[in-house]
């Protein structure tokens, strides 16, 4: 694949929304440029649900989000980017849309016109679902209570305005099918006609409109010509009705009286029969929101009812969805795309090919594109995808793992088991979590798949004896045992990796269900990997292939909801490993494995994104770096846990003999405190921090889905957890608890800071494009969203950077002073800025340079990671960047509360330098290092800082 028209060197993620609009973004661009950033990496900017906070609920892809500013504001933003030479990478959502019927014109038309709507093909709706009452209708699970209760409460109100009828439920505004509103228009018509006179022109026009409506094709019509006729004639009728009610007060009042009659029952209609019958005539069927779990018949983003999946595989959908994106690319405003949730697409490979051809900045150029693809252990990004890489979760987990001491795994697991009272295998936790998701929030999607599978089996005499229940159970088991997010089988075939994933899932399902009929799994294997010659006809083969590709769209959400949003909250020996794409059972990696991953990236995906904190991470990069220290001091951690539990004894709520929170949630809480406690161990955490802890624990326990959940909330458990947090941080036991917390936290945060700085050096120089999440150029101790989306004080950051650009004459001494006062975050900003600026000066080294692991020798070799990036340029000759980063600092420390960078701590450890590199200068300390026999000593290189970035120029 050719190089993109603009190659990014570094990115900075900005979360738009709230205070961050186009004008605000324009104001901070000079600061980001000075920091060394080359690209703004923006959260979604297209029109989304009004009042939304993230932009992923896109409602109109043809325009920018008006809540972010005016056209003039966007122009100012674009001009600021150009003035400072920055590119713009746009976060784009190809899989789904927000289905707010007042904001999304496609969805609103669908709700009014059903299968006859020109947008019926845009959304993934099952118009012939299992439940016959939903044939040609859409289940809308939007009610806060059972339908009957809501109906009889009078909360559903019909309104008429300008030729249109709508249904209102609190803030929800739903369209009503005008043809199906004839009962309202005819209600009391005879009395009205008698009063006005049959020859009255307005009465005749109203009757003519009704006659017109009687002869318009129904919404179930799908013939293209008849659907077009319906759409055309409905517009004519609306215009006629609007003109009539504008001109005739009598007709308008007649309709208003009829509407009120339907809204306000009396006498024999006290059961809301009139309104109920009217609603039953609409395209949608209103229901209690919980009903979605089993009966919803439109595909969603995960289990979120408000996000409807779209059929991006349809060329018309693709073209309309990318209208604004293509325009901004042609104008040169958008220079790259970040594609959200690509595993939800029907055929990702085909989508990327079409995107590469369709969204071009110039006829013979292409955009930079990265895909949000979560790679499981040993999984590789499909080489046939026309993308530049992933959004960086794979690097995030690689760099986290290299700072985890795997030798402590047995002790940490035993500690967790003793404290929490149990220690199931992580694979079992995942299996049970995914089964729970399949049985609850993703049950309706499984029902659709099972019934389609049953129809296919009924048409084949070899497998028609499989019952619907047995097929559904087999699908459930395979999905629960799937080892990756999804496979990518399509009409072009599949890879050995796809086949291995499917065979692994089926083998695991068989092992867990020895009593199930084995032949049913043979049938599933044939369905998941369709071979043309195994099917009696082309039509049966295409049906099998369609099923296989639909099943692939199902396993991804099950994996995400079951693992990331359930299992990761149920299994917590070391929470820094519980990250998107992480493997919590793995406990660290070797330096060699880290190098192998980087070498693959350098060879296959040199422009992939490198992340350490994102809007989706469970914890910020510096919070994870702290938790990694626990793997170095498991015995001290065990002692502190015991002290913490004794300090908070008696603060739990006891209900029916159960202490709340349970021990596993308590363990999670203590790790969370260590990870996110403010730098410098303040005496008082402050009300804001206490509230953050309460909100985090509320989310964590609900995602865990053991004692409470979002669907089935336990008020008692929720309150008990909140009270425990409050009492532990503010109550009478706080002083005792803080004494133990402060002492242990001081040491953990110290080594965590060193971990963070080493981690940063590796990220800034590894193969790929490093992304800085907003505000993470200083310490980022955030937790899962919405905590990680809090506003950033960019004025303070700009002032800090300005001060750092005037260093003391003794740079190495100044650097040591910054490190000693590291709580203020200046030291991290300095390292970030120097690394980013180096990348800007020497882009070829980082975008196309070689990657070479450097040999480390000596007694402390396990504590050092080193590699070299090199490139040759016509103008400047050979350029070399060498990175040396320390790790496992706790075991190097001479004194528990001091920085472990004293003279001689690295003992005889040496690092090989690249051949012919010559003298190397550390861009952070300014020190010049002359290799002796092509080696440097760790004591020299790491004398001032936990990591060094050395250059030969």
């Amino acid at each position: 694949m050719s190089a993109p028209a603009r190659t990014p060197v570094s990115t900075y993620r900005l979360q738009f929304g709230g205070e961050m609009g186009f004008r605000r973004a324009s104001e901070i661009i000079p600061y980001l440029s000075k920091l060394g950033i080359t690209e703004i990496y923006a959260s979604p900017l297209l029109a989304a649900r009004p009042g939304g906070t993230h932009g992923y609920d896109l409602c109109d892809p043809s325009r920018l989000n008006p809540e972010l500013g005016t056209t003039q504001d966007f122009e100012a933003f674009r001009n600021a980017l150009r003035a400072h030479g920055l590119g713009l990478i746009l976060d784009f959502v190809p899989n789904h849309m927000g289905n707010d019927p007042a904001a999304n014109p496609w969805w609103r038309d669908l709700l009014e016109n059903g299968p006859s709507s020109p947008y019926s093909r845009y959304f993934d709706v099952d118009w012939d679902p299992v439940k016959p009452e939903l044939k040609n209708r859409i289940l809308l699970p939007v009610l806060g209570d059972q339908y009957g209760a809501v109906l009889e409460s009078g909360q559903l109100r019909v309104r008429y305005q300008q030729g249109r009828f709508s249904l209102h439920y609190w803030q929800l505004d739903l369209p009503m099918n005008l043809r199906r509103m004839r009962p309202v228009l005819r209600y009391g018509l005879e009395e009205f006609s008698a009063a006005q006179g049959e020859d009255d022109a307005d009465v005749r026009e109203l009757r003519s409109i009704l006659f017109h409506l009687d002869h318009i094709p129904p919404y179930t019509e799908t013939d293209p010509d008849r659907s077009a006729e319906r759409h055309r004639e409905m517009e004519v009728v609306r215009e006629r009705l609007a003109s009539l009610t504008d001109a005739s007060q009598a007709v308008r009042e007649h309709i208003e009286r009829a509407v009120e009659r339907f809204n306000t029952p009396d006498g024999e209609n006290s059961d809301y029969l009139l309104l109920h019958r009217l609603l039953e005539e609409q395209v949608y069927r209103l229901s209690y929101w919980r009903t979605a779990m089993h009966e919803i018949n439109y595909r969603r983003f995960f289990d979120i009812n408000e996000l409807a999946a779209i059929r991006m595989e349809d060329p018309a959908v693709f073209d309309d969805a990318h209208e604004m994106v293509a325009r901004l690319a042609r104008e040169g405003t958008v220079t790259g795309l970040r594609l959200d949730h690509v595993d939800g697409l029907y055929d990702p490979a085909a989508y990327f090919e079409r995107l590469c051809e369709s969204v071009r900045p110039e006829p013979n150029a292409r955009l930079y594109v990265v895909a949000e693809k979560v790679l499981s252990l040993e999984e590789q990004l499909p080489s046939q995808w026309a993308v530049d890489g992933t959004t960086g979760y794979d690097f995030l987990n690689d760099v986290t793992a290299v700072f985890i001491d795997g030798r402590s795994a047995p002790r940490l697991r035993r500690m967790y088991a003793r404290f929490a009272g149990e220690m199931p295998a992580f694979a079992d936790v995942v299996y049970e979590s995914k089964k729970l998701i399949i049985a609850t929030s993703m049950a309706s999607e499984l029902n659709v798949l099972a019934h389609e599978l049953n129809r296919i089996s009924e048409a084949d005499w070899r497998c028609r004896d499989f019952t619907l229940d047995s097929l559904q159970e087999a699908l459930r088991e395979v999905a629960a045992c799937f080892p990756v997010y999804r496979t990518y089988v399509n009409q072009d075939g599949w890879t050995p990796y796809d086949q291995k994933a499917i065979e692994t899932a089926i083998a695991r399902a068989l092992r867990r269900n020895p009593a199930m009929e084995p032949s049913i799994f043979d049938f599933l294997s044939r369905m998941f990997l369709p071979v043309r010659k195994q099917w009696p006809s082309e039509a049966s083969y295409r049906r099998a292939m369609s099923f296989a590709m639909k099943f692939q769209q199902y396993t991804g959400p099950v994996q995400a909801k079951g693992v990331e949003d359930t299992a990761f909250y149920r299994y917590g020996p070391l929470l820094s490993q519980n990250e998107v794409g992480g493997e919590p059972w793995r406990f660290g990696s070797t330096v060699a494995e880290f190098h192998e991953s980087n070498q693959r990236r350098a060879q296959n995906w040199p422009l992939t994104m490198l992340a350490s904190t994102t809007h989706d991470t469970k914890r910020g990069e510096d919070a994870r770096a702290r938790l990694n220290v626990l793997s170095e001091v498991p015995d001290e951690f065990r002692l502190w846990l015991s002290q913490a539990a004794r300090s908070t004894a008696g603060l739990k709520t006891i209900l029916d003999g159960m202490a709340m929170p349970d021990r596993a949630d308590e363990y999670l809480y203590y790790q969370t405190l260590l990870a996110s406690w403010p730098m410098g161990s303040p005496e008082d955490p402050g009300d804001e921090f206490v509230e953050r802890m309460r909100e985090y624990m509320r989310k964590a326990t609900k995602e865990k889905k053991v004692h409470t959940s979002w669907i089935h909330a336990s008020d008692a458990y929720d309150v008990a957890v909140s009270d425990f947090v409050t009492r532990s941080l503010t109550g009478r036991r706080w002083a005792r608890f803080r004494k133990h917390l402060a002492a242990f936290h001081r040491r953990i945060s110290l080594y965590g800071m060193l971990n963070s700085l080493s981690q940063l050096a590796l990220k800034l120089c590894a193969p790929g494009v490093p992304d800085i999440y907003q505000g993470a150029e200083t310490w980022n101790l955030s937790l899962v969203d919405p905590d990680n989306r809090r506003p950033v004080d960019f004025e303070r950051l700009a002032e800090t950077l300005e001060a750092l650009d005037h260093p003391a004459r003794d740079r190495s001494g100044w650097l040591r002073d910054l490190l000693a006062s590291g709580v203020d975050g200046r030291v991290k900003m300095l390292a970030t800025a120097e690394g980013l600026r180096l990348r800007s000066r020497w882009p070829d080294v980082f975008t196309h340079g070689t990657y070479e692991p450097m040999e480390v020798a000596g007694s402390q070799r396990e504590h050092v990671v080193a590699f070299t990036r090199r490139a040759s340029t016509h103008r400047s000759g050979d350029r070399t960047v060498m990175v040396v980063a320390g790790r496992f600092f706790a075991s190097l420390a001479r004194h528990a509360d001091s920085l472990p960078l004293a003279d001689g701590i690295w003992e005889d450890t040496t690092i090989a330098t690249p051949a012919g590199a010559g003298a190397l200068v550390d861009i952070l300390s300014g020190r010049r290092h002359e290799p002796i026999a092509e080696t440097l000593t760790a004591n020299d290189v790491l004398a001032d800082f936990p990591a060094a970035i050395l250059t030969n120029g």
Side-chain angles (χ1 to χ4, degrees):
M1 190 169 67
S2 62
R6 179 184 171 102
T7 299
V9 180
S10 61
T11 66
Y12 191 96
R13 172 72 177 200
L14 278 182
Q15 293 294 123
F16 281 80
E19 297 177 1
M20 185 57 69
F22 297 134
R23 281 285 177 187
R24 177 66 173 141
S26 302
E27 295 168 357
I28 65 174
I29 284 175
Y31 158 70
L32 297 178
S33 177
K34 188 174 183 180
L35 186 65
I37 294 296
T38 69
E39 323 288 314
I40 298 297
Y41 162 32
S43 64
L45 300 181
L46 302 185
R49 180 179 63 84
T53 59
H54 48 72
Y56 290 102
D57 42 9
L58 168 70
C59 287
D60 187 350
S62 68
R63 60 193 181 98
L64 293 167
N65 191 342
E67 294 192 346
L68 300 179
T70 65
T71 302
Q72 292 74 21
D73 293 334
F74 182 72
E75 187 64 26
F77 173 57
R78 178 162 51 188
N79 290 338
L81 289 171
R82 288 173 176 168
H84 289 84
L86 269 62
L88 176 63
I89 297 174
L90 179 63
D91 196 339
F92 180 70
V93 188
N95 173 70
H96 58 269
M97 300 181 76
N99 60 6
D100 183 330
N104 188 329
W106 299 357
W107 185 254
R108 190 172 187 87
D109 194 282
L110 182 74
L111 294 183
E112 183 176 353
N113 297 300
S116 190
S117 168
Y119 301 106
S120 63
R121 60 194 276 196
Y122 283 43
F123 297 94
D124 211 345
V125 180
D126 182 4
W127 295 109
D128 189 17
V130 177
K131 189 168 181 142
E133 293 88 347
L134 288 176
K135 184 176 178 61
N136 290 320
R137 301 183 71 189
I138 300 174
L139 184 77
L140 280 191
V142 296
L143 303 180
D145 201 347
Q146 298 288 340
Y147 168 75
V150 173
L151 179 72
E152 294 174 5
S153 70
Q155 297 173 53
L156 299 172
R157 308 286 294 178
V158 179
R159 293 181 187 173
Y160 169 79
Q161 188 175 18
Q162 290 294 304
R164 297 178 183 272
F165 287 93
S166 56
L167 180 70
H168 292 257
Y169 172 65
W170 298 106
Q171 302 302 314
L172 188 65
D173 174 3
L174 294 167
M176 301 189 81
N177 186 320
L178 184 55
R179 188 174 186 274
R180 295 299 179 101
M181 299 304 288
R182 289 170 294 173
V184 176
L185 295 174
R186 284 197 167 103
Y187 192 87
L189 180 59
E190 297 309 318
E191 293 85 347
F192 175 68
S193 299
Q196 293 293 114
E198 286 293 340
D199 292 333
D200 181 80
D202 295 338
V203 171
R204 290 201 308 272
E205 174 63 2
L206 180 57
R207 288 189 182 278
S208 176
I209 288 172
L210 282 165
F211 181 82
H212 198 164
L213 284 172
D214 288 340
H215 292 83
I216 289 177
Y219 77 74
T220 54
E221 182 62 69
T222 57
D223 176 79
D225 292 338
R226 294 278 285 166
S227 293
E229 176 191 346
R230 169 189 164 79
H231 195 268
R232 182 177 61 251
E233 294 304 315
M234 286 292 282
E235 284 301 313
V236 172
V237 170
R238 267 192 285 267
E239 291 173 3
R240 290 179 64 188
L241 185 59
S243 296
L244 177 60
T245 53
D246 280 347
S248 173
Q249 181 177 345
V251 173
R252 187 169 64 252
E253 290 176 350
H254 159 69
I255 293 176
E256 289 171 353
R257 284 193 300 271
V259 167
E260 187 62 21
R261 183 67 184 83
F262 277 74
N263 285 336
T264 310
D266 60 12
E268 72 276 11
N269 293 310
S270 61
D271 61 353
Y272 271 88
L273 186 59
L274 277 178
L275 182 56
H276 170 65
R277 286 175 175 171
L278 192 66
L279 295 179
E280 287 296 280
E281 291 295 306
Q282 302 308 308
V283 173
Y284 47 83
R285 177 178 174 137
L286 299 175
S287 75
Y288 186 28
W289 66 271
R290 293 180 189 268
T291 306
M293 291 192 298
H294 297 282
E295 294 184 352
I296 198 166
N297 61 326
Y298 63 88
R299 188 168 61 88
R300 304 162 291 173
F301 171 69
F302 293 175
D303 58 349
I304 303 174
N305 298 336
E306 294 77 18
L307 296 178
I310 56 177
R311 299 182 62 252
M312 192 58 77
E313 64 272 19
D314 187 305
V317 181
F318 181 97
D319 291 342
D320 285 351
H322 293 83
E323 177 184 345
M324 175 59 79
V325 170
R327 188 190 319 160
L328 293 173
R330 287 193 299 270
E331 295 171 356
T333 302
V334 166
T335 57
L337 290 175
R338 181 261 195 195
L339 301 169
D340 184 67
H341 190 55
V342 298
D343 274 347
L345 297 171
Y346 184 70
D347 189 349
Y351 169 78
F352 294 133
E353 285 293 335
R354 186 177 183 88
L355 183 76
C356 186
E357 294 299 320
S358 303
V359 183
R360 289 185 178 276
E362 300 171 13
N364 296 315
R366 69 173 184 86
L367 285 184
Y368 172 76
V369 175
V370 288
E372 190 211 22
K373 167 59 188 169
V374 180
L375 298 170
S376 302
L377 186 64
E378 298 181 0
E379 183 181 8
Q380 300 299 313
L381 190 66
S383 58
Q384 68 272 27
W385 284 8
V387 298
D388 292 287
T390 73
T391 53
Y393 296 127
D394 46 335
F395 175 80
L396 182 153
N397 285 292
D398 286 342
V399 80
T400 296
V402 83
F403 288 94
I404 295 173
D405 190 341
R407 294 169 296 185
S408 68
R411 279 179 288 178
L412 285 171
R413 291 192 183 107
R414 285 195 301 269
M415 184 193 319
Y416 182 73
R418 282 195 293 266
F419 193 96
E422 60 177 348
M423 183 61 186
F426 182 65
D428 293 335
V429 176
V430 168
Y431 173 74
E432 293 300 331
S433 298
K434 291 172 74 171
K435 286 282 290 287
L436 175 65
I437 294 299
I438 293 168
T440 54
S441 56
M442 299 294 293
S444 60
E445 288 83 353
L446 185 73
N447 289 339
V448 171
L449 288 168
H451 279 79
E452 173 61 9
L453 187 61
N454 186 56
R455 295 185 190 107
I456 294 173
S457 71
E458 286 291 337
D460 188 337
W461 68 76
R462 292 170 295 178
C463 48
R464 72 178 191 181
D465 286 344
F466 297 141
T467 66
L468 173 61
D469 287 346
S470 65
L471 290 169
Q472 186 155 334
E473 183 61 22
L475 281 176
R476 180 183 296 114
E477 290 300 315
V478 171
C481 293
F482 223 73
V484 293
Y485 273 69
R486 63 166 285 175
T487 49
Y488 301 96
V489 174
N490 61 20
Q491 290 86 350
D492 296 327
W494 54 83
T495 66
Y497 193 89
D498 293 326
Q499 182 167 346
K500 180 182 177 182
I502 289 169
E503 290 173 349
T504 298
I506 289 175
R508 289 177 180 177
L510 274 167
R511 280 199 303 272
R512 289 187 179 274
N513 300 274
M516 290 184 70
E517 170 60 44
S519 62
I520 200 168
F521 291 102
D522 294 334
F523 173 58
L524 287 183
S525 180
R526 190 160 64 101
M527 290 297 304
F528 297 148
L529 298 168
V531 177
R532 194 179 301 271
K533 65 182 180 181
Q534 294 180 350
W535 295 90
S537 67
E538 181 65 20
S540 62
Y541 165 74
R542 286 199 302 269
R543 191 171 186 181
M545 179 59 72
S546 176
F547 175 84
M549 295 176 74
K550 287 286 187 182
F551 181 74
Q552 292 175 147
Q553 289 177 289
Y554 180 70
T555 58
V558 169
Q559 179 86 352
K561 296 299 296 180
V563 179
E564 293 173 24
D565 294 343
T566 306
F568 279 1
Y569 292 97
R570 294 184 172 193
Y571 182 95
L574 186 62
L575 291 177
S576 56
Q577 301 186 115
N578 295 23
E579 201 49 82
V580 182
E583 302 286 355
W585 56 268
R586 188 180 175 200
F587 270 91
S589 68
T590 65
V591 172
E593 289 170 328
F594 179 72
H595 286 316
E596 288 169 7
S597 294
N598 279 332
Q599 287 171 316
R600 282 195 298 269
R601 272 186 281 269
Q603 180 177 355
N604 301 322
W605 308 103
L607 298 180
T608 191
M609 194 172 278
L610 306 178
S612 47
T613 299
T614 77
H615 59 285
D616 281 331
T617 43
K618 304 296 183 186
R619 288 158 197 87
E621 58 199 60
D622 303 312
R624 281 197 314 278
R626 272 191 195 172
L627 291 176
N628 288 342
V629 179
L630 300 180
S631 70
E632 298 182 63
V633 292
D635 294 332
E636 294 175 51
F637 180 39
R638 177 179 55 79
L639 176 61
W640 179 77
L641 272 177
S642 177
Q643 294 171 336
R646 286 198 300 269
S647 298
T648 58
L651 300 184
K652 294 185 178 184
T653 300
I654 309 297
L655 184 64
D656 297 330
M658 175 187 171
M660 300 183 289
D662 70 16
R663 294 279 281 180
D665 288 341
E666 186 182 358
Y667 191 99
L668 179 147
Y669 171 58
Y670 293 144
Q671 284 196 72
T672 302
L673 276 181
L674 289 174
S676 56
W677 192 259
M679 296 291 288
S681 299
E683 290 289 330
D684 181 357
D687 294 341
E688 180 185 358
F689 182 81
V690 175
E691 181 60 22
R692 286 177 59 206
M693 291 301 100
R694 280 196 295 256
E695 286 301 309
Y696 172 79
M697 288 302 296
R698 178 175 180 268
K699 180 166 185 172
T701 53
K702 286 185 177 295
E703 296 284 16
K704 182 180 175 181
K705 305 173 188 69
V706 173
H707 303 296
T708 185
S709 70
W710 300 113
I711 297 175
H712 300 291
S714 167
D715 292 340
Y717 197 82
D718 293 341
V719 170
V721 171
S722 179
D723 287 348
F724 178 76
V725 172
T726 303
R727 292 166 185 163
S728 66
L729 296 179
T730 64
R732 57 187 176 85
R733 299 287 186 94
W734 162 235
R736 182 181 177 190
F737 180 42
R738 190 202 175 284
K739 177 182 176 182
H740 298 301
L741 173 63
F744 188 57
H745 172 266
R746 189 160 48 247
R747 189 171 185 211
I748 295 302
S749 63
L750 172 65
Y751 301 137
M753 178 179 69
L754 300 178
N755 275 351
S756 292
L757 296 171
S758 280
Q759 174 180 268
L760 175 63
L762 296 177
K763 171 181 155 181
L764 289 172
C765 298
V769 181
D771 173 56
I772 309 300
Y773 185 72
Q774 60 177 31
E777 58 268 46
T778 59
W779 304 126
N780 186 294
L781 301 172
S782 62
L783 300 169
V784 72
D785 72 287
D787 189 70
N788 59 17
R789 305 188 193 209
R790 288 170 294 147
V792 176
D793 186 349
F794 283 103
E795 281 71 26
R796 182 183 63 82
L797 294 177
E799 291 171 1
T800 301
L801 182 61
E802 178 66 26
L804 288 172
D805 280 341
H806 300 86
R809 184 170 297 177
D810 177 10
R811 188 175 178 91
S812 63
W814 177 64
L815 184 63
R816 286 195 299 272
D817 291 341
L818 286 178
L819 187 61
S821 59
V823 296
D824 59 18
R826 290 181 300 156
V827 67
K828 187 182 180 187
M829 177 177 277
L830 174 69
T832 302
E834 292 296 342
L836 292 174
R837 291 166 180 176
L838 173 64
R839 292 183 65 89
S840 295
R841 291 195 303 272
W842 290 7
D844 289 344
V845 172
F846 298 101
T847 57
H848 301 101
T850 61
Y851 179 93
E852 182 182 357
M854 292 289 98
E855 182 180 356
V856 181
S859 57
Q860 306 296 347
R861 60 185 178 277
E862 292 300 318
H863 291 265
V864 177
V865 183
F867 60 82
T868 293
R869 308 295 310 279
R870 305 186 83 173
S872 295
T873 63
H874 293 298
R875 292 184 178 180
S876 304
D878 289 340
R879 286 175 168 172
T880 299
V881 175
M882 181 176 171
V883 180
V884 181
R887 65 174 191 152
F888 301 163
F889 294 99
S891 56
L892 287 172
R894 299 283 179 87
H895 305 287
D897 295 325
S898 64
L899 290 172
L901 298 178
D903 291 343
I905 64 167
W906 303 98
E907 298 178 354
D908 59 345
T909 305
T910 60
I911 307 104
T913 59
L920 298 169
V921 177
D922 188 344
I923 67 169
L924 298 176
S925 69
R927 283 181 183 260
R928 179 183 176 89
H929 298 276
E930 294 279 357
I932 298 176
E934 295 190 338
T935 63
L936 296 173
T937 68
N939 281 321
D940 284 340
V941 175
L942 300 176
D944 304 309
F945 207 67
I949 300 176
L950 311 169
T951 71
N952 68 340

